[in-house]
Amino acid sequence: MKKILLVAMTLFMAVSVFAKDGDALKYLPVQDGGRIKPYDSFSREMLEIVYGKTKYEGRAATEIVMTWMLSPQAWQDKKIFEVRNHQVLTSMNLPKDQRYFSGEELFAGDRFNLLRQELQAKRDTKEKLNPYFQALQRLENQYFVFQEIAAGRMLKIVPPKEGDAWVSVADMDAPMQEKFMEFTKAFVNHIGAVAAASDTSATGKELDAKVAAFEEAAKANNPALYDHATKIKAEVHYNSFHPFRWAYIFYFLGFIVLLLVWTLKKESLMKAAWVFIGLGFILNTYGFVLRMYIMDRAPVTNMYETVVWVAWGTVLFAAILEIIYKFRLILVAGTLVGTFGLVIADFAPAVLDPTLQPLEPVLRSNYWLTIHVMTITISYAAFFLAFGLADIGLIYYLRGEEKFQKEIRAIVSGIYRSMQIGVAFLAPGIILGGIWADYSWGRFWGWDPKETWALIALLGYLAVLHARYAGFIKNFGMVVTAVITFSLVIMAWYGVNFVLGAGLHSYGFGAGGVEYVSAFVAAHILLVIYVGIVRRGKQTTQTTN
């Protein structure tokens, strides 16, 4: 199995290591968002902001964003602005069944400026923006980004001779402008060859040479500020390799094999399941290591990173419990939850921002970030595992409680152990958070919403564990409470940041996805009620008979 893992990992690394002719532009250093990043990341992020995706009609972001600057007028009638909010569309007299619009459709008249004034008036009140104003603010940001790129003010690619602020294309001196024009001409020739489906090796090599010449000239300005080559390469590799995407593919394959083991009793397939899960876990870990290396910090500073971290932790805890108890359903639940978490992270970039961003000032302590945030969020992984096991338990109760007593007991045992693990991390995580709060804000505890809901979640799980230990909660009660109490985790984890949007933990605030999360919670509560009704009906029938 080790040989299979080694060969597979080597092949995957090779996929994104070999660069093609014309790829040098991806590695061009850009100062943006408080850090130095490759143009590859910059262009992906800008296209994501404006268009909602990292490709436009199959064309790479590196090409699209550069043409915004070189030929902005050519994009005036292109539908590149994503607008999803129906209320905004209604306000602008645009069709609700359309998602993408051109700049002419959105910004040509006075309506957009009137809406911006309305938005500014709302911002002046200092109130939390509702979904309509959040969508309006996003549209304003899309407009700003496109205009700034088109004007050459956002692309900062030359380090200054003095200071830290890099020089934008619009502000470059004459010699650098000349170098820039040389490589943009080569860029135009190259994308022309690509569009014509002709041989691109010559134009690609020319572009690479011109980009290299520009980089040499830029580096001469301030060599110390241009020394990011290794991390730039690592980030481009991270962007192209998508380690978390590969991780959930292998987790899902492991889940499928485990289902076969579970349903068909094919124990001989367990080795294959472990190989897939092992590959997924290695790739998941590799993605974390890459993000840590690129950003020099623990990768748990926003909702996206914590979701990926929780998926990793769920698989880890499931594997440990499987090794100890040899009960396949724990691993089934773990791989299912791990897959679910990574898929959500991959397919919801508008809600879970996957970009690599510098730390907020309050988080600029790797020590506290590591021991508090990683500790408290890894507890969510254990609780998520208990939740996944509870879902399987509900299925068994629907299929027949008497028939599957052995499986239900094993599931409840897994739920109990998972809850214990979660509490063992959540309790010290809260205490460590208090110490960090005292260090950062001058008080240990202030009933901040994030603190309060973390405490509520802890007390909820402690109540369940004590009730189980005292015999107040039986097997069905454990299954039910594993589902219900996870809603407390969802509130502490997601709700405080995305629903309440209040408190000192503002660095974690976001928007979007409320309807989906609410539906997820409501569906599980309804499932619990339904299973409870069915179970009670069966018990009544048995008593009558």
Side-chain angles (χ1 to χ4, degrees):
M1 188 170 76
K2 290 181 180 179
K3 290 182 179 179
I4 295 174
L5 288 172
L6 182 60
V7 170
M9 289 302 297
T10 303
L11 289 173
F12 279 115
M13 298 309 153
V15 168
S16 62
V17 166
F18 297 113
K20 298 179 295 183
D21 291 329
D23 275 358
L25 180 59
K26 291 182 178 181
Y27 300 87
L28 180 69
V30 178
Q31 187 184 60
D32 176 65
R35 72 182 186 96
I36 308 302
K37 63 182 70 170
Y39 174 70
D40 181 57
S41 293
F42 172 83
S43 59
R44 286 169 182 262
E45 291 167 15
M46 296 305 106
L47 186 58
E48 181 81 53
I49 289 171
V50 173
Y51 186 61
K53 299 178 182 178
T54 56
K55 284 189 175 182
Y56 174 78
E57 296 183 349
R59 296 156 66 189
T62 48
E63 173 190 337
I64 299 301
V65 173
M66 186 62 71
T67 57
W68 287 354
M69 184 173 59
L70 299 180
S71 184
Q73 66 280 359
W75 289 94
Q76 292 303 312
D77 61 345
K78 299 291 191 298
K79 297 182 184 297
I80 58 170
F81 294 93
E82 182 192 40
V83 184
R84 296 191 300 264
N85 187 279
H86 285 183
Q87 194 175 350
V88 170
L89 294 174
T90 301
S91 298
M92 301 188 74
N93 300 318
L94 295 170
K96 293 181 182 178
D97 59 348
Q98 192 172 323
R99 184 173 174 181
Y100 296 100
F101 301 86
S102 68
E104 290 179 346
E105 292 174 295
L106 291 170
F107 313 123
D110 295 330
R111 187 60 186 157
F112 176 64
N113 288 327
L114 292 173
L115 291 176
R116 290 178 73 183
Q117 293 173 18
E118 182 184 350
L119 172 63
Q120 187 56 49
K122 184 67 175 179
R123 281 195 292 237
D124 290 341
T125 66
K126 307 297 183 183
E127 296 178 10
K128 185 178 184 294
L129 300 181
N130 62 28
Y132 165 70
F133 284 107
Q134 289 173 359
L136 202 55
Q137 184 168 258
R138 177 176 182 255
L139 181 59
E140 181 186 52
N141 189 43
Q142 290 169 291
Y143 175 75
F144 172 80
V145 165
F146 182 83
Q147 291 297 324
E148 289 297 294
I149 290 175
R153 291 188 292 266
M154 187 165 277
L155 187 62
K156 300 177 180 180
I157 51 179
V158 179
K161 289 183 170 60
E162 295 180 358
D164 297 320
W166 284 36
V167 180
S168 69
V169 170
D171 297 323
M172 290 189 302
D173 58 25
M176 291 307 303
Q177 286 280 2
E178 185 178 346
K179 290 287 185 183
F180 181 74
M181 289 298 296
E182 288 177 3
F183 100 62
T184 54
K185 287 179 183 177
F187 167 79
V188 171
N189 291 337
H190 182 60
I191 63 172
V194 172
S198 58
D199 183 16
T200 59
S201 59
T203 57
K205 285 183 172 65
E206 181 191 12
L207 175 58
D208 291 344
K210 296 299 183 182
V211 171
F214 179 86
E215 287 186 1
E216 283 299 315
K219 186 175 183 178
N221 258 21
N222 195 329
L225 290 182
Y226 218 75
D227 188 24
H228 300 276
T230 305
K231 289 192 175 182
I232 290 286
K233 290 177 181 177
E235 188 166 347
V236 172
H237 164 66
Y238 171 82
N239 291 340
S240 61
F241 183 50
H242 301 293
F244 298 128
R245 185 174 299 168
W246 283 110
Y248 72 67
I249 289 172
F250 281 108
Y251 284 158
F252 184 69
L253 290 173
F255 169 72
I256 295 298
V257 175
L258 285 168
L259 282 182
L260 295 176
V261 174
W262 175 28
T263 56
L264 303 179
K265 308 300 180 185
K266 295 282 188 179
E267 289 295 322
S268 58
L269 295 175
M270 274 305 296
K271 285 187 177 180
W274 278 112
V275 168
F276 286 132
I277 295 167
L279 280 169
F281 189 77
I282 290 171
L283 288 162
N284 202 337
T285 306
Y286 180 63
F288 274 123
V289 171
L290 275 177
R291 289 182 75 102
M292 290 172 67
Y293 171 71
I294 294 165
M295 298 304 296
D296 291 320
R297 59 166 172 79
V300 284
T301 61
N302 60 23
M303 183 59 71
Y304 171 85
E305 291 180 335
T306 60
V307 168
V308 174
W309 171 244
V310 165
W312 179 90
T314 303
V315 174
L316 174 65
F317 291 143
I320 292 171
L321 291 174
E322 164 62 22
I323 291 170
I324 295 172
Y325 295 106
K326 300 291 190 296
F327 182 58
R328 306 300 183 233
L329 288 181
I330 295 177
L331 210 52
V332 170
T335 52
L336 180 60
V337 170
T339 302
F340 176 76
L342 293 181
V343 167
I344 292 298
D346 193 30
F347 283 90
V351 179
L352 304 177
D353 181 11
T355 60
L356 293 158
Q357 299 294 342
L359 290 175
E360 296 285 342
V362 72
L363 294 176
R364 286 176 186 168
S365 169
N366 261 327
Y367 175 75
W368 288 111
L369 183 65
T370 302
I371 68 171
H372 165 58
V373 181
M374 295 187 79
T375 300
I376 209 165
T377 49
I378 201 67
S379 72
Y380 299 163
F383 296 138
F384 212 162
L385 177 59
F387 175 84
L389 283 166
D391 272 353
I392 297 174
L394 290 173
I395 294 172
Y396 272 122
Y397 273 104
L398 282 176
R399 293 179 65 188
E401 183 176 351
E402 297 300 325
K403 185 179 178 181
F404 297 103
Q405 279 294 319
K406 179 182 176 182
E407 287 81 0
I408 289 172
R409 283 196 299 270
I411 286 171
V412 170
S413 177
I415 290 172
Y416 187 73
R417 294 301 180 206
S418 298
M419 285 186 177
Q420 286 179 315
I421 293 170
V423 167
F425 280 101
L426 182 56
I430 291 173
I431 294 169
L432 291 168
I435 298 171
W436 190 11
D438 185 53
Y439 173 79
S440 298
W441 299 318
R443 93 288 187 278
F444 180 83
W445 191 267
W447 297 105
D448 180 81
K450 196 75 169 178
E451 299 168 348
T452 303
W453 276 102
L455 180 60
I456 291 171
L458 175 63
L459 294 176
Y461 280 100
L462 282 173
V464 172
L465 290 175
H466 280 80
R468 175 66 177 180
Y469 184 77
F472 298 142
I473 295 180
K474 306 302 180 184
N475 288 346
F476 184 68
M478 282 298 292
V479 171
V480 169
T481 53
V483 173
I484 301 301
T485 49
F486 191 69
S487 62
L488 303 178
V489 171
I490 291 175
M491 189 63 199
W493 185 16
Y494 169 86
V496 171
N497 290 356
F498 284 71
V499 180
L500 298 181
L504 291 172
H505 292 74
S506 59
Y507 50 82
F509 291 175
V514 175
E515 62 275 19
Y516 300 108
V517 176
S518 300
F520 178 81
V521 173
H524 278 85
I525 292 174
L526 290 174
L527 176 62
V528 166
I529 294 171
Y530 173 71
V531 174
I533 292 171
V534 171
R535 180 172 179 264
R536 178 61 61 88
K538 289 180 179 179
Q539 289 176 338
T540 302
T541 302
Q542 290 172 357
T543 302
T544 303
N545 293 337

